[in-house]
PDB file of all heavy atoms in Angstrom:
ATOM      1  N   THR A  82     -14.120   2.564   8.274  1.00 88.00           N
ATOM      2  CA  THR A  82     -13.638   3.357   7.101  1.00 88.00           C
ATOM      3  C   THR A  82     -14.595   4.305   6.548  1.00 88.00           C
ATOM      4  O   THR A  82     -14.394   5.014   5.606  1.00 88.00           O
ATOM      5  CB  THR A  82     -13.190   2.424   5.940  1.00 88.00           C
ATOM      6  OG1 THR A  82     -14.233   1.478   5.626  1.00 88.00           O
ATOM      7  CG2 THR A  82     -11.995   1.524   6.438  1.00 88.00           C
ATOM      8  N   ALA A  83     -15.930   4.271   7.046  1.00 87.00           N
ATOM      9  CA  ALA A  83     -16.968   5.134   6.616  1.00 87.00           C
ATOM     10  C   ALA A  83     -17.993   5.223   7.559  1.00 87.00           C
ATOM     11  O   ALA A  83     -17.904   4.480   8.748  1.00 87.00           O
ATOM     12  CB  ALA A  83     -17.586   4.514   5.328  1.00 87.00           C
ATOM     13  N   LYS A  84     -18.933   6.031   7.471  1.00 90.00           N
ATOM     14  CA  LYS A  84     -20.157   6.131   8.451  1.00 90.00           C
ATOM     15  C   LYS A  84     -20.713   4.786   8.682  1.00 90.00           C
ATOM     16  O   LYS A  84     -20.801   4.042   7.626  1.00 90.00           O
ATOM     17  CB  LYS A  84     -21.090   7.199   8.064  1.00 90.00           C
ATOM     18  CG  LYS A  84     -20.595   8.624   8.084  1.00 90.00           C
ATOM     19  CD  LYS A  84     -21.819   9.570   7.593  1.00 90.00           C
ATOM     20  CE  LYS A  84     -21.294  10.998   7.734  1.00 90.00           C
ATOM     21  NZ  LYS A  84     -22.413  11.866   7.205  1.00 90.00           N
ATOM     22  N   PHE A  85     -21.256   4.500   9.805  1.00 94.00           N
ATOM     23  CA  PHE A  85     -21.977   3.188   9.928  1.00 94.00           C
ATOM     24  C   PHE A  85     -23.071   3.097   9.040  1.00 94.00           C
ATOM     25  O   PHE A  85     -23.380   2.001   8.482  1.00 94.00           O
ATOM     26  CB  PHE A  85     -22.437   3.121  11.410  1.00 94.00           C
ATOM     27  CG  PHE A  85     -23.293   1.899  11.720  1.00 94.00           C
ATOM     28  CD1 PHE A  85     -22.685   0.656  11.921  1.00 94.00           C
ATOM     29  CD2 PHE A  85     -24.583   1.952  11.673  1.00 94.00           C
ATOM     30  CE1 PHE A  85     -23.322  -0.532  12.168  1.00 94.00           C
ATOM     31  CE2 PHE A  85     -25.222   0.697  11.897  1.00 94.00           C
ATOM     32  CZ  PHE A  85     -24.685  -0.452  12.101  1.00 94.00           C
ATOM     33  N   SER A  86     -23.869   4.186   8.895  1.00 93.00           N
ATOM     34  CA  SER A  86     -25.106   4.018   8.046  1.00 93.00           C
ATOM     35  C   SER A  86     -24.703   3.749   6.585  1.00 93.00           C
ATOM     36  O   SER A  86     -25.440   3.021   5.902  1.00 93.00           O
ATOM     37  CB  SER A  86     -25.839   5.437   8.092  1.00 93.00           C
ATOM     38  OG  SER A  86     -25.033   6.527   7.575  1.00 93.00           O
ATOM     39  N   THR A  87     -23.520   4.230   6.020  1.00 93.00           N
ATOM     40  CA  THR A  87     -23.141   4.029   4.745  1.00 93.00           C
ATOM     41  C   THR A  87     -22.832   2.498   4.676  1.00 93.00           C
ATOM     42  O   THR A  87     -23.230   1.797   3.659  1.00 93.00           O
ATOM     43  CB  THR A  87     -21.801   4.717   4.474  1.00 93.00           C
ATOM     44  OG1 THR A  87     -22.099   6.145   4.639  1.00 93.00           O
ATOM     45  CG2 THR A  87     -21.359   4.462   3.072  1.00 93.00           C
ATOM     46  N   TRP A  88     -22.159   1.925   5.624  1.00 93.00           N
ATOM     47  CA  TRP A  88     -21.896   0.434   5.554  1.00 93.00           C
ATOM     48  C   TRP A  88     -23.163  -0.390   5.661  1.00 93.00           C
ATOM     49  O   TRP A  88     -23.352  -1.326   4.991  1.00 93.00           O
ATOM     50  CB  TRP A  88     -20.887   0.114   6.788  1.00 93.00           C
ATOM     51  CG  TRP A  88     -20.514  -1.339   6.786  1.00 93.00           C
ATOM     52  CD1 TRP A  88     -20.030  -1.993   5.875  1.00 93.00           C
ATOM     53  CD2 TRP A  88     -20.568  -2.213   8.018  1.00 93.00           C
ATOM     54  NE1 TRP A  88     -19.668  -3.360   6.320  1.00 93.00           N
ATOM     55  CE2 TRP A  88     -20.026  -3.430   7.717  1.00 93.00           C
ATOM     56  CE3 TRP A  88     -21.082  -1.925   9.402  1.00 93.00           C
ATOM     57  CZ2 TRP A  88     -19.967  -4.500   8.595  1.00 93.00           C
ATOM     58  CZ3 TRP A  88     -20.895  -2.962  10.297  1.00 93.00           C
ATOM     59  CH2 TRP A  88     -20.369  -4.238   9.795  1.00 93.00           C
ATOM     60  N   LEU A  89     -24.067   0.060   6.487  1.00 95.00           N
ATOM     61  CA  LEU A  89     -25.425  -0.593   6.682  1.00 95.00           C
ATOM     62  C   LEU A  89     -26.101  -0.685   5.422  1.00 95.00           C
ATOM     63  O   LEU A  89     -26.642  -1.694   4.994  1.00 95.00           O
ATOM     64  CB  LEU A  89     -26.215   0.058   7.763  1.00 95.00           C
ATOM     65  CG  LEU A  89     -27.632  -0.377   8.043  1.00 95.00           C
ATOM     66  CD1 LEU A  89     -27.730  -1.603   8.715  1.00 95.00           C
ATOM     67  CD2 LEU A  89     -28.473   0.770   8.747  1.00 95.00           C
ATOM     68  N   TYR A  90     -26.291   0.518   4.784  1.00 94.00           N
ATOM     69  CA  TYR A  90     -26.975   0.476   3.596  1.00 94.00           C
ATOM     70  C   TYR A  90     -26.402  -0.009   2.276  1.00 94.00           C
ATOM     71  O   TYR A  90     -27.021  -0.370   1.317  1.00 94.00           O
ATOM     72  CB  TYR A  90     -27.504   1.998   3.277  1.00 94.00           C
ATOM     73  CG  TYR A  90     -28.613   2.512   4.282  1.00 94.00           C
ATOM     74  CD1 TYR A  90     -28.265   3.590   5.100  1.00 94.00           C
ATOM     75  CD2 TYR A  90     -29.698   1.776   4.444  1.00 94.00           C
ATOM     76  CE1 TYR A  90     -29.198   4.022   6.088  1.00 94.00           C
ATOM     77  CE2 TYR A  90     -30.677   2.177   5.420  1.00 94.00           C
ATOM     78  CZ  TYR A  90     -30.476   3.317   6.121  1.00 94.00           C
ATOM     79  OH  TYR A  90     -31.371   3.747   7.093  1.00 94.00           O
ATOM     80  N   ARG A  91     -25.035  -0.248   2.355  1.00 93.00           N
ATOM     81  CA  ARG A  91     -24.288  -0.940   1.357  1.00 93.00           C
ATOM     82  C   ARG A  91     -24.858  -2.456   1.427  1.00 93.00           C
ATOM     83  O   ARG A  91     -25.146  -3.127   0.437  1.00 93.00           O
ATOM     84  CB  ARG A  91     -22.823  -0.929   1.512  1.00 93.00           C
ATOM     85  CG  ARG A  91     -22.061  -1.606   0.305  1.00 93.00           C
ATOM     86  CD  ARG A  91     -20.608  -1.525   0.675  1.00 93.00           C
ATOM     87  NE  ARG A  91     -20.210  -0.013   0.693  1.00 93.00           N
ATOM     88  CZ  ARG A  91     -19.317   0.303   1.663  1.00 93.00           C
ATOM     89  NH1 ARG A  91     -18.765  -0.581   2.608  1.00 93.00           N
ATOM     90  NH2 ARG A  91     -18.876   1.601   1.808  1.00 93.00           N
ATOM     91  N   ILE A  92     -24.841  -2.911   2.717  1.00 94.00           N
ATOM     92  CA  ILE A  92     -25.342  -4.403   2.938  1.00 94.00           C
ATOM     93  C   ILE A  92     -26.724  -4.419   2.470  1.00 94.00           C
ATOM     94  O   ILE A  92     -27.160  -5.454   1.865  1.00 94.00           O
ATOM     95  CB  ILE A  92     -25.070  -4.792   4.293  1.00 94.00           C
ATOM     96  CG1 ILE A  92     -23.559  -4.791   4.813  1.00 94.00           C
ATOM     97  CG2 ILE A  92     -25.764  -6.153   4.647  1.00 94.00           C
ATOM     98  CD1 ILE A  92     -23.389  -4.958   6.252  1.00 94.00           C
ATOM     99  N   ALA A  93     -27.604  -3.447   2.897  1.00 93.00           N
ATOM    100  CA  ALA A  93     -29.058  -3.522   2.613  1.00 93.00           C
ATOM    101  C   ALA A  93     -29.213  -3.494   1.010  1.00 93.00           C
ATOM    102  O   ALA A  93     -30.126  -4.200   0.512  1.00 93.00           O
ATOM    103  CB  ALA A  93     -29.744  -2.298   3.276  1.00 93.00           C
ATOM    104  N   ASN A  94     -28.431  -2.695   0.376  1.00 90.00           N
ATOM    105  CA  ASN A  94     -28.632  -2.713  -1.079  1.00 90.00           C
ATOM    106  C   ASN A  94     -28.286  -3.989  -1.745  1.00 90.00           C
ATOM    107  O   ASN A  94     -29.052  -4.482  -2.590  1.00 90.00           O
ATOM    108  CB  ASN A  94     -27.576  -1.699  -1.591  1.00 90.00           C
ATOM    109  CG  ASN A  94     -27.588  -1.472  -3.162  1.00 90.00           C
ATOM    110  OD1 ASN A  94     -28.670  -1.647  -3.776  1.00 90.00           O
ATOM    111  ND2 ASN A  94     -26.501  -1.176  -3.764  1.00 90.00           N
TER     112      ASN A  94
END
Side-chain angles (χ1 to χ4, degrees):
T82 57
K84 291 181 179 178
F85 176 80
S86 60
T87 301
W88 183 51
L89 172 77
Y90 290 121
R91 185 185 303 136
I92 295 172
N94 180 34

